[in-house]
Amino acid sequence: MAGSSDGNDEVQWCFSQVKGTIDDDIAEADIISTVEFNHSGELLATGDKGGRVVIFQQKPESKNLPQRRGEYNVYSTFQSHEPEFDYLKSLEIEEKINKIRWLPQKNAAHFLLSTNDKTIKLWKISERDKRPEGYNLKEEDGRYRNASSVTSLRVPVFKPMDLMVEASPRRVFANAHTYHINSISVNSDCETYLSADDLRVNLWHWEINDRSFNIVDIKPDNMEDLTEVITAAEFHPNQCNTFVYSSSKGTIRMCDMRTSALCDNHAKLFEEPEDPNNRSFFSEIISSISDVKFSHSGRYIMTRDYLSVKIWDLNMESRPVETYQVHDYFRSKLCSLYENDCIFDKFECCWNGNDSVVMTGSYNNFFRMFDRGYRQDVILEASRDNCKPRSVLKPRKVSSGGKRKKDEISVDSLDFNKKILHTAWHPLDNIIAVATTNNLYIFQDKVN
Amino acid sequence: MFPKGTKRKFSDSGEEAGSNGDQGQAASTSVAAPRTLTSSYSLQRQSLLDMSLIKLQLCHMLVEPNLCRSVLIANTVRQIQEEMTQDGTWQIMTQALAAAQCPSDRLVATEVLCRQTDPATAAQAGQSPKPFSVVGLEEGYHSEEVVMEGEVETEVTMSTLSPVSQQMPSASYLAGPFGMGPCWEEEDEDGDGEDEDDDEEDSEECVSEGEEGDRDHLRADSRTGEQVFGTFEIKHPVPPADPALEELFSDVDPSYYDLDTVLTGMQSSPKMGPYDLLESLSSHGPTTLSSSSTCRSDLNELDHIMEIIVGS
């Protein structure tokens, strides 16, 4: 990580911005459901339960204050998905945005994929800062002139105008998923992407929206035999033939699309044998993987299950190379968490730009970072209490029982309603975006 | 931790949803011989089973139906069921409940839990019943009609299960209280919620939110007789849910606890939830056989009350 003035090279995180209302009364539609930086980090997209996408753009760094990174301001807001009703099944299809993925930028416009439970859409976000003026046959307001009143001709010219950011849907990829889509992933071949639901993974081509290839199908012939579902899927960042998908039983399967059209048979199976000492009725539930992410290098996979983050080396299937406990103090509370359904919460995780630090969220608006190199970890809190600009975040401590030291928070007073499920790390810089229920916090590391 | 071969222990010894009275015994999760069960452990296991069954039944009432969640809960139920079968507890419990004959038009769902895959092999010890299934969870979680061979009519199933023929009515009784309708769960949460953490309130809110939001869902379900989760087949026509029903149940609230005491034939702690009902039954184990006659008359009362509630 970038060093600071501290001798121990530890990064200090500072508050930068917070987006969203302060209201305690949270509107359902405002609940943030996904957060994603684009490939340059200039744009930060969020999706919410109301089907809207909000994109923030980083202001260029000020010349007066070098090294102080620009702020993120709203760049574009649009309604990506609307609620639908499936009349055949009498089911409402939620408009909640499950995932957003940016495409690598090829020209001035930006493209992103957004998906709800059933439909994936490709959006083009483009800027317009000029408009043509001086048409011969049209008035400025668009009305057509009477042709007979035109006495001279002129060439229309482009005049500058206020910047307008337009989002337009370019493709709609619909009706390919029977179950709820949980993941989308852009392929490095710049031609295809995958989408995964509970039982199937489909491969799409950008240009073709009326059909997709099914590449993984784990639906049993008899649904009575269903014991495992797909929870996440992702393409390898460099190898366009390789992707992984994770399951509710805590396994990760890596597939090679060159071997066969249908990748039901995995090339590699990553699974850690169960620890017999920790066995309980909840073992399977807490082993269910909620997120899987390749490292930027493509050498490692990170998985998030309920209590831990695991790093796997692609070359070793038998066990992870690193395991980090996110909130082990909940291990003795699994029954209560099962009862209030919190045990089914799906936390995401993310890598920093050089794969040296990983981050994930927890309850009570806490989030955790694990430095793989220095073997350090920290608990931080996203809260309106430390919202002074550039105030350094103080690490939090949780006491699991017995004597509670000063500054420690008792595990029993942690708020399960305040969960940080979605976090994102700038691909190049130490800037992180952390989503609480309806607020987006942006933190950056302290610069001198 | 524990020496090898020790029975799996419940990870949450301090906070049980079942509001067990004898938590003090939690410490005794034992280092004894592998097959010995402490009563605390079996109570905890029973309450977990009950909780899981309720969750499964109410899957369709979630604002966001979730196949992953349902599969995980079903797997948990399966695990418990397998362990209980290995311990022999399953047989004891179902036999005890079998003494109380229940009309088959109760919620018969969990008969699958008791159903053996093969009557011949079922005679062998330790053969686990056919696993709990998630049939009907496809297609957006509104099921097609479950057609598992030969078991739509539970009476037919019964006849094919010679060694375990008593299990059907017991299974239906097991799930009986759960068949009382969605509001029942709400009442239960109110009852249980007293001494529990804030967590309980959260789940209570979740349930009521889901209920209100999905009342139409439920109505559609009950009218067409679809099951959300294949095994939960409500044979007794559930009345269309409506706000009046909720009010009705809110009136029933205090008497619900009386119902409990009536059914169990004993005066127990005032705030009993569904877990208490079943755990008290299971904890009585073989001794319940002696009180079966009491149970039977109590169940006739249950029928009567159900008729009133259902308005038939």
Side-chain angles (χ1 to χ4, degrees):
Chain A
M1 292 191 285
S4 67
S5 56
D6 286 358
N8 62 358
D9 266 356
E10 215 174 282
V11 168
Q12 288 192 300
W13 289 95
C14 307
F15 171 83
S16 174
Q17 296 170 273
V18 60
K19 308 283 185 194
T21 61
I22 309 179
D23 257 342
D24 276 338
D25 203 12
I26 297 172
E28 186 99 352
D30 291 340
I31 295 175
I32 299 173
S33 51
T34 185
V35 181
E36 187 83 356
F37 279 100
N38 76 337
H39 294 275
S40 66
E42 182 205 357
L43 298 179
L44 174 60
T46 62
D48 64 24
K49 214 163 174 209
R52 292 165 302 195
V53 171
V54 179
I55 303 177
F56 302 93
Q57 183 190 40
Q58 191 180 28
K59 254 175 32 185
E61 280 165 22
S62 155
K63 293 188 191 67
N64 299 334
L65 302 161
Q67 287 193 320
R68 182 147 318 142
R69 301 178 190 83
E71 283 198 339
Y72 281 85
N73 300 319
V74 176
Y75 179 66
S76 171
T77 306
F78 56 93
Q79 185 77 32
S80 170
H81 286 73
E82 299 276 2
E84 285 169 50
F85 196 78
D86 183 336
Y87 293 96
L88 221 52
K89 298 168 201 160
S90 277
L91 261 189
E92 196 177 287
I93 299 169
E94 275 210 328
E95 66 274 30
K96 171 168 75 94
I97 308 294
N98 291 336
K99 284 283 174 351
I100 290 174
R101 290 287 182 262
W102 291 93
L103 271 61
Q105 195 176 6
K106 294 282 192 281
N107 52 34
H110 295 97
F111 287 86
L112 63 77
L113 276 181
S114 70
T115 184
N116 70 347
D117 285 337
K118 293 291 181 189
T119 306
I120 306 147
K121 292 188 185 179
L122 175 67
W123 289 88
K124 175 180 179 184
I125 295 105
S126 49
E127 291 182 5
R128 191 186 294 213
D129 59 359
K130 295 183 268 291
R131 66 187 166 96
E133 268 181 35
Y135 282 110
N136 292 293
L137 293 175
K138 269 201 290 192
E139 302 280 5
E140 291 307 322
D141 59 7
R143 279 179 306 148
Y144 280 96
R145 271 192 195 153
N146 190 340
S148 52
S149 69
V150 177
T151 51
S152 61
L153 291 177
R154 55 188 174 162
V155 178
V157 292
F158 274 107
K159 292 267 174 71
M161 59 178 254
D162 290 337
L163 178 65
M164 195 167 75
V165 180
E166 294 176 316
S168 56
R170 302 307 270 186
R171 300 266 189 283
V172 177
F173 304 92
N175 301 322
H177 285 279
T178 310
Y179 304 94
H180 287 188
I181 298 175
N182 52 52
S183 314
I184 44 176
S185 177
V186 178
N187 202 352
S188 51
D189 66 1
C190 304
E191 280 188 354
T192 57
Y193 74 95
L194 65 75
S195 58
D197 66 28
D198 292 318
L199 297 178
R200 297 191 177 100
V201 180
N202 290 337
L203 182 71
W204 300 84
H205 191 285
W206 292 116
E207 302 298 329
I208 302 169
N209 61 345
D210 60 355
R211 81 202 102 103
S212 67
F213 285 106
N214 175 243
I215 50 177
V216 174
D217 188 343
I218 65 167
K219 182 177 177 206
D221 290 329
N222 192 346
M223 279 293 272
E224 285 179 51
D225 302 331
L226 179 66
T227 57
E228 192 173 7
V229 299
I230 297 172
T231 51
E234 195 178 58
F235 265 120
H236 191 283
N238 309 318
Q239 296 167 17
C240 57
N241 54 289
T242 307
F243 67 94
V244 295
Y245 67 92
S246 59
S247 82
S248 57
K249 285 200 168 168
T251 63
I252 306 105
R253 287 175 174 79
M254 190 171 92
C255 301
D256 186 339
M257 294 196 290
R258 296 171 300 189
T259 54
S260 67
L262 192 58
C263 296
D264 282 357
N265 296 321
H266 52 264
K268 294 198 181 191
L269 174 66
F270 299 86
E271 189 175 12
E272 185 174 25
E274 205 176 9
D275 176 8
N277 291 333
N278 268 339
R279 186 87 178 84
S280 78
F281 287 120
F282 304 110
S283 293
E284 186 182 314
I285 300 180
I286 63 169
S287 74
S288 173
I289 292 173
S290 51
D291 194 16
V292 67
K293 290 264 169 51
F294 272 101
S295 64
H296 291 93
S297 61
R299 168 95 190 267
Y300 299 99
I301 311 170
M302 167 165 57
T303 58
R304 174 70 155 100
D305 50 68
Y306 190 62
L307 295 178
S308 66
V309 162
K310 295 180 179 169
I311 314 278
W312 304 76
D313 187 322
L314 281 193
N315 301 316
M316 185 165 78
E317 300 166 60
S318 54
R319 56 182 171 79
V321 289
E322 294 154 40
T323 303
Y324 302 103
Q325 298 301 329
V326 180
H327 37 217
D328 206 48
Y329 35 79
F330 290 133
R331 196 178 288 272
S332 59
K333 309 218 174 282
L334 291 178
C335 194
S336 309
L337 293 165
Y338 178 69
E339 196 193 3
N340 65 14
D341 271 1
C342 282
I343 208 174
F344 301 109
D345 285 337
K346 292 192 176 347
F347 291 94
E348 292 175 9
C349 53
C350 59
W351 298 86
N352 75 337
N354 60 11
D355 300 335
S356 60
V357 186
V358 297
M359 171 168 68
T360 188
S362 176
Y363 293 108
N364 210 65
N365 282 349
F366 286 172
F367 59 100
R368 269 194 106 127
M369 290 188 196
F370 300 96
D371 187 327
R372 302 173 61 211
Y374 291 107
R375 295 282 161 179
Q376 290 166 346
D377 66 87
V378 68
I379 305 176
L380 299 172
E381 183 179 358
S383 143
R384 292 268 177 183
D385 295 336
N386 15 318
C387 275
K388 284 199 345 220
R390 295 183 295 283
S391 64
V392 175
L393 294 181
K394 203 175 81 164
R396 295 274 179 244
K397 290 196 193 61
V398 177
S399 79
S400 26
K403 286 185 80 71
R404 186 173 72 87
K405 297 190 203 115
K406 187 173 82 93
D407 277 357
E408 277 190 358
I409 300 176
S410 158
V411 66
D412 294 314
S413 57
L414 295 176
D415 188 340
F416 293 116
N417 283 328
K418 296 187 183 167
K419 40 192 107 172
I420 291 180
L421 302 172
H422 312 286
T423 57
W425 204 310
H426 191 291
L428 303 167
D429 228 338
N430 272 338
I431 304 175
I432 55 176
V434 172
T436 59
T437 308
N438 66 334
N439 283 354
L440 183 72
Y441 287 79
I442 299 174
F443 302 107
Q444 53 191 51
D445 71 346
K446 188 163 183 251
V447 283
N448 307 322
Chain B
M1 295 284 281
F2 294 102
K4 213 172 165 179
T6 310
K7 213 66 183 128
R8 302 185 279 232
K9 87 175 194 57
F10 236 66
S11 51
D12 188 359
S13 54
E15 306 171 43
E16 291 306 314
S19 54
N20 295 321
D22 40 358
Q23 278 307 310
Q25 293 182 34
S28 66
T29 41
S30 60
V31 293
R35 288 289 174 187
T36 307
L37 286 180
T38 63
S39 70
S40 149
Y41 174 80
S42 59
L43 281 176
Q44 292 170 9
R45 184 175 61 184
Q46 184 66 49
S47 70
L48 180 63
L49 175 65
D50 303 337
M51 195 188 347
S52 305
L53 291 173
I54 292 177
K55 280 182 184 296
L56 280 174
Q57 185 173 0
L58 296 177
C59 266
H60 63 284
M61 303 201 57
L62 284 181
V63 175
E64 205 180 308
N66 193 333
L67 183 62
C68 182
R69 177 179 176 273
S70 307
V71 167
L72 289 172
I73 298 173
N75 290 350
T76 307
V77 170
R78 218 176 267 139
Q79 267 183 61
I80 298 174
Q81 170 202 311
E82 277 167 16
E83 192 182 278
M84 286 176 90
T85 309
Q86 280 168 16
D87 295 337
T89 322
W90 190 261
Q91 307 290 355
I92 294 171
M93 182 176 71
T94 53
Q95 278 164 18
L97 296 173
Q101 284 298 319
C102 209
S104 63
D105 62 353
R106 197 64 58 205
L107 181 66
V108 297
T110 50
E111 50 87 12
V112 167
L113 286 174
C114 307
R115 187 164 65 92
Q116 302 289 336
T117 50
D118 177 7
T121 55
Q124 296 168 13
Q127 175 69 28
S128 56
K130 178 154 183 179
F132 206 60
S133 78
V134 293
V135 171
L137 269 181
E138 59 184 349
E139 307 298 338
Y141 324 116
H142 270 240
S143 56
E144 289 112 48
E145 200 71 30
V146 171
V147 184
M148 297 186 271
E149 291 91 63
E151 77 165 270
V152 175
E153 299 304 320
T154 53
E155 288 79 12
V156 171
T157 315
M158 249 181 76
S159 62
T160 63
L161 302 173
S162 37
V164 291
S165 55
Q166 288 172 312
Q167 286 182 355
M168 187 286 295
S170 62
S172 55
Y173 178 70
L174 175 70
F178 304 142
M180 279 166 67
C183 302
W184 181 90
E185 160 78 354
E186 201 174 302
E187 298 311 307
D188 148 59
E189 290 286 343
D190 288 336
D192 270 350
E194 289 274 71
D195 325 301
E196 311 277 3
D197 292 345
D198 289 346
D199 312 341
E200 312 296 315
E201 287 164 21
D202 294 342
S203 61
E204 181 183 277
E205 280 163 39
C206 287
V207 168
S208 21
E209 268 174 45
E211 282 176 353
E212 277 134 38
D214 272 48
R215 206 156 283 289
D216 292 336
H217 256 184
L218 182 63
R219 196 174 298 142
D221 275 348
S222 17
R223 271 204 223 107
T224 60
E226 287 181 293
Q227 311 98 348
V228 169
F229 196 90
T231 54
F232 287 108
E233 184 180 355
I234 300 175
K235 292 207 159 181
H236 185 79
V238 174
D242 57 30
L245 194 62
E246 198 173 272
E247 286 158 27
L248 190 64
F249 274 101
S250 61
D251 290 336
V252 167
D253 187 13
S255 61
Y256 169 72
Y257 300 114
D258 297 333
L259 186 66
D260 254 346
T261 57
V262 156
L263 288 172
T264 55
M266 62 186 197
Q267 295 297 319
S268 51
S269 61
K271 299 285 183 187
M272 272 178 81
Y275 314 133
D276 303 296
L277 168 65
L278 287 159
E279 85 201 14
S280 53
L281 283 168
S282 60
S283 66
H284 282 82
T287 63
T288 313
L289 289 166
S290 57
S291 59
S292 59
S293 53
T294 326
C295 278
R296 194 173 287 126
S297 61
D298 296 340
L299 284 159
N300 288 335
E301 280 212 41
L302 173 62
D303 284 353
H304 180 58
I305 291 168
M306 276 305 295
E307 276 173 20
I308 296 171
I309 290 168
V310 163
S312 55

